[in-house]
Amino acid sequence: NIGLVEESISELSKVLERKPYSKIAWHQLGKIYKKQGKFRESISAFDFAIISDDQFVSAYIEKARILEKIKKYTEALENYKLSIQLSEPNSYVLFRISKCYQKLGNKKKFLEYIKKSLREEPGNEKAWIYLINFYINKNNLRQAKYLANKALENNHNSIKIIELNANISSLVGNFDEAINYYTEIIEFKEKLSWRIWKNLIKCFIKVEDWNQSLKFSLKAKKYFPKKSFL
């Protein structure tokens, strides 16, 4: 609601007139500007929050997130790193640092920080997915498969990671294993994605199981009548 947002900005501005070094008010103002897409104003507000308290970890992180969003990755890194110097390292910030390094083309630092992120939180699904896809893109499928199995140990019910395992199994020609993974996903939630159904049917065709390929094609058609599966 635009009216409520403007009212919030007005109230925070009044607070800052009385208490110009209110780090909380500056922080809240920065978050509102961020939601509005006013990134320059948002960064400025977080800067004032940091001036008010140079130990304010959340302000460094919020500022870094905006800098990352507007593709100022080097500046984002500086602020993310300041936040973990002032506090305990956490998986989220370490993951964001790894993504900035990836955008900057620094593969070594990307790997260093994404592994640190996973050490802090072995169940960090997004970090696992980025790391696995890194090796898939390098065509290092053995390492990708090893990591996908490790990821599954820490994310038993992650459909995205089960799908990654299925995709890698298919890429290396282990179609029976891929079938098991894709079937597991479909059993969990049938109307999840037409892509899952299509990949499963392709695997049945690869192993020349025509009955199963036809059976699942007909079943998939019920959920996705406009899609082609064969």
Side-chain angles (χ1 to χ4, degrees):
N1 187 299
I2 295 172
L4 287 174
V5 170
E6 293 304 322
E7 185 180 340
S8 296
I9 291 172
S10 176
E11 289 300 316
L12 286 168
S13 297
K14 289 176 184 177
V15 170
L16 289 166
E17 285 177 10
R18 299 193 307 270
K19 299 178 180 179
Y21 290 100
S22 171
K23 66 178 184 181
I24 301 301
W26 282 118
H27 186 264
Q28 290 302 311
L29 192 59
K31 290 177 74 173
I32 291 170
Y33 284 138
K34 179 186 173 185
K35 285 183 180 178
Q36 290 182 314
K38 296 179 178 179
F39 298 131
R40 182 181 298 176
E41 292 89 340
S42 183
I43 289 170
S44 178
F46 290 128
D47 277 335
F48 277 113
I50 291 165
I51 290 169
S52 303
D53 178 2
D54 63 4
Q55 306 290 304
F56 195 7
V57 172
S58 183
Y60 287 105
I61 294 173
E62 291 289 352
K63 180 182 173 184
R65 288 175 64 187
I66 297 170
L67 289 165
E68 184 183 355
K69 187 176 182 67
I70 62 177
K71 300 182 180 180
K72 293 188 175 182
Y73 301 115
T74 302
E75 292 176 52
L77 280 170
E78 291 171 3
N79 284 271
Y80 281 134
K81 288 184 178 182
L82 279 168
S83 79
I84 58 177
Q85 286 172 14
L86 295 168
S87 180
E88 292 293 320
N90 67 78
S91 183
Y92 172 79
V93 172
L94 293 167
F95 175 57
R96 300 314 312 179
I97 290 172
S98 75
K99 287 197 70 180
C100 287
Y101 275 123
Q102 186 181 41
K103 292 292 186 181
L104 290 169
N106 191 328
K107 295 177 183 178
K108 183 178 178 181
K109 286 291 185 181
F110 162 74
L111 289 171
E112 176 187 339
Y113 277 92
I114 204 163
K115 288 174 182 177
K116 284 182 179 180
S117 174
L118 287 166
R119 281 197 293 272
E120 288 292 325
E121 187 186 334
N124 187 332
E125 181 192 59
K126 285 186 178 180
W128 280 115
I129 290 169
Y130 269 85
L131 183 58
I132 293 162
N133 279 323
F134 172 80
Y135 285 104
I136 290 174
N137 292 333
K138 287 186 68 176
N139 205 32
N140 188 341
L141 298 180
R142 179 179 292 182
Q143 182 67 4
K145 182 59 177 166
Y146 168 77
L147 291 168
N149 286 332
K150 293 288 289 183
L152 201 54
E153 289 174 12
N154 292 285
N155 297 270
H156 303 290
N157 298 317
S158 168
I159 289 173
K160 290 180 180 178
I161 290 175
I162 295 171
E163 184 182 1
L164 269 176
N165 271 278
N167 293 345
I168 297 166
S169 296
S170 180
L171 285 170
V172 299
N174 192 343
F175 299 111
D176 288 327
E177 184 176 75
I179 286 167
N180 289 335
Y181 281 126
Y182 288 131
T183 304
E184 182 182 348
I185 296 169
I186 286 170
E187 287 174 353
F188 179 74
K189 191 173 182 181
E190 289 185 332
K191 198 176 178 181
L192 183 67
S193 166
W194 76 273
R195 182 186 64 252
I196 303 293
W197 288 88
K198 186 170 184 177
N199 288 342
L200 172 60
I201 293 159
K202 282 182 177 179
C203 287
F204 280 128
I205 292 170
K206 288 288 185 181
V207 297
E208 299 183 357
D209 191 335
W210 313 117
N211 289 332
Q212 288 292 81
S213 65
L214 179 59
K215 173 186 170 182
F216 277 88
S217 294
L218 293 172
K219 194 171 183 180
K221 274 291 184 183
K222 291 195 299 183
Y223 299 108
F224 307 96
K226 294 182 180 180
K227 295 291 185 180
S228 173
F229 292 90
L230 288 176

